[in-house]
Amino acid sequence: MRTSMRRSRSAATATIALASALALAACGAPDGSGGADSASGKVEGQVVFQTWNLKANFKDYFEGLIADFEQKYPDAKVKWVDQPAEGYPEKLSADAAGGTLPDVVNVSPDLAYPLAKAGMALDLEKSAGKYRGEYLDGAWKSNEMPGMKGVYAFPWYLNTGPMFYNKELFRQAGLDPAKPPTTYDQLFRDAKSMAEKSGRKMAMLASTPSIEDFGRYGVRLMNPQGTEFTFNEPKGVELLQHYKELYEAGALDSQALTAKAESAGRKFQQQAVAMNPGSALDLENFRKEAPSLYKNIGITDAVNNTGKANMYVQGLMVNAQSEVKPAAVAFAHFVTDKKNQMAFAKEVTIFPSTKGSLDDPYFTEQDGTDATRVRVASAKSLENAVNYTPVLLSDQMKTVLRNAVARAVQGKQSPKAALDGAVAECNRLLKTG
């Protein structure tokens, strides 16, 4: 369930940055301040709360949550609206342009960015900064926006992806299955060794690097001001050169240049590649559909050079133009407090963004089930995780990078020239979008 939940959102999340820029331009204050100082006062009035594709599976949870809030604050009421994943960014854009944006809105950081720029998102550093200490530092900072001061959504639930690997394929390649790669240097060494040992019949990976990989490698993705992409710096070129060498050595699956996440997953399930990211749902599928793979499954953190895993984050934004700001802030905080995040985490495979929650036995103790194996492994890496994907990176920019990577890996262009061209085009889109 969690995999489909994340994928449905990730397919849409980046599209709003370009699609809504013009529509939002006339909405609210250009500095993004949005009247933050007016958020104090009595908690009263009706709060319109909008989620993103959650009602079908979690109706009872949210209705109970709302009832608890209304009991705590008798003068406040909450109207819950749930929107489908399809077209959610466009819906936000239309509501913002039309002045009908709900009081509390479920957003990811890239969805919050154009709203914050247009003055539609309340700066919570100003209006709710007293709550900052309740949340993991990386989660709170994930809702900072490039070129702006402040934080524009309460952190809500988190996720991260463990890496699965095939212990038997590691053994066949003479690699220690108890010591999977933890750094990129080790990954590159092991991948080449596997390809060589198998006569180029076995590849370690089935996908080329995305922006997230550049971040985990230690590449500086944007300048400090958040005004230009910089992933063509020498370290970025170095990473792409390594992938070019993997492809030449047969250590990167031949279909990696065109593969999507789903096809890379199938390659792993068919035991055609040795490593692939996944989730608890994938592990259960392996048990049912690929028992020979399942008995050899290893679980580890995704490789990185930074010591920090990647964090997927959802948040709750408060509409800066809401007429019930005190109640909206109180409700957004209530939904995201430690108690209620923990309760939601037991409904679905997500992780709380509140400090101390990941120390709970639910996230630290094994019980022998598949879901727990992945939950414990993932929770362990989230304490200091960060969101590597820049909020300004649109789907169009991701395509530009993906095409540049493919050209470099195939040897059609040098890694430096490919990344220089990609950065130039992404920066052009950033200025004109």
Side-chain angles (χ1 to χ4, degrees), residues 4 57 74 138 247 260 273 285 288 295 323 329 410 432:
S4 60
N57 294 313
Y247 188 72
K260 296 181 180 179
V273 294
N285 287 341
K288 294 177 180 177
K295 69 180 182 181
E323 296 181 358
V329 169
Q410 293 176 90
T432 61

Side-chain angles (χ1 to χ4, degrees), residues 114-399:
L115 296 168
K117 284 288 286 183
M120 298 294 290
L122 197 64
D123 177 2
L124 298 177
E125 285 279 18
K126 291 182 179 178
S127 62
K130 63 183 178 181
Y131 299 126
R132 176 176 185 156
E134 297 179 18
Y135 301 91
L136 295 171
D137 192 50
W140 183 264
K141 288 182 177 179
S142 71
N143 288 295
E144 294 177 342
M145 301 297 156
M148 301 175 65
K149 292 182 179 179
V151 165
Y152 294 90
F154 280 103
W156 192 10
Y157 59 87
L158 312 175
N159 215 327
T160 190
M163 185 70 75
F164 293 132
Y165 66 100
N166 188 318
K167 294 180 179 180
E168 179 57 28
L169 296 183
F170 269 61
R171 280 189 286 267
Q172 291 177 13
L175 302 173
D176 186 347
K179 296 179 180 179
T182 58
T183 66
Y184 277 93
D185 283 347
Q186 185 185 351
L187 173 67
F188 299 144
R189 286 196 305 270
D190 288 354
K192 288 178 181 177
S193 175
M194 179 171 287
E196 183 179 354
K197 280 269 190 179
S198 66
R200 299 173 63 94
K201 292 179 181 178
M202 181 55 59
M204 181 77 81
L205 303 169
S207 58
T208 53
S210 65
I211 195 70
E212 178 187 316
D213 293 290
F214 281 83
R216 291 203 311 260
Y217 191 71
V219 179
R220 189 175 63 119
L221 304 177
M222 296 195 79
N223 65 9
Q225 297 76 32
T227 57
E228 290 185 339
F229 291 100
T230 57
F231 53 80
N232 62 331
E233 68 173 19
K235 205 165 187 65
V237 175
E238 178 182 291
L239 174 66
L240 193 48
Q241 178 64 35
H242 279 301
Y243 269 85
K244 179 176 182 290
E245 293 170 1
L246 291 185
Y247 188 72
E248 291 170 347
L252 187 63
D253 187 81
S254 60
Q255 296 181 26
L257 300 178
T258 57
K260 296 181 180 179
E262 292 79 5
S263 56
R266 284 194 298 273
K267 283 273 187 179
F268 181 75
Q269 185 164 326
Q270 294 163 0
Q271 304 191 66
V273 294
M275 294 191 78
N276 200 62
S279 70
L281 180 62
D282 295 315
L283 192 59
E284 177 62 16
N285 287 341
F286 297 154
R287 187 183 69 80
K288 294 177 180 177
E289 301 170 11
S292 62
L293 167 65
Y294 178 75
K295 69 180 182 181
N296 288 305
I297 283 287
I299 303 172
T300 187
D301 293 340
V303 170
N304 71 74
N305 288 349
T306 65
K308 296 181 179 181
N310 186 63
M311 175 190 293
Y312 302 96
V313 59
Q314 290 290 323
L316 291 184
M317 187 199 87
V318 175
N319 183 352
Q321 298 182 2
S322 169
E323 296 181 358
V324 290
K325 284 193 189 74
V329 169
F331 181 70
H333 173 251
F334 185 80
V335 175
T336 62
D337 71 16
K338 189 172 184 177
K339 175 187 173 183
N340 289 316
Q341 286 211 48
M342 191 68 193
F344 192 38
K346 292 185 177 180
E347 296 281 334
V348 63
T349 309
I350 54 88
F351 301 88
S353 61
T354 43
K355 283 183 180 175
S357 296
L358 298 178
D359 297 327
D360 187 279
Y362 184 71
F363 296 111
T364 60
E365 296 181 1
Q366 298 278 3
D367 63 6
T369 65
D370 293 339
T372 303
R373 289 176 67 191
V374 176
R375 183 170 67 237
V376 170
S378 298
K380 189 177 178 182
S381 68
L382 272 171
E383 285 282 4
N384 68 344
V386 297
N387 181 9
Y388 286 110
T389 303
V391 298
L392 296 173
L393 192 76
S394 67
D395 278 349
Q396 188 176 3
M397 295 173 190
K398 289 177 183 177
T399 299

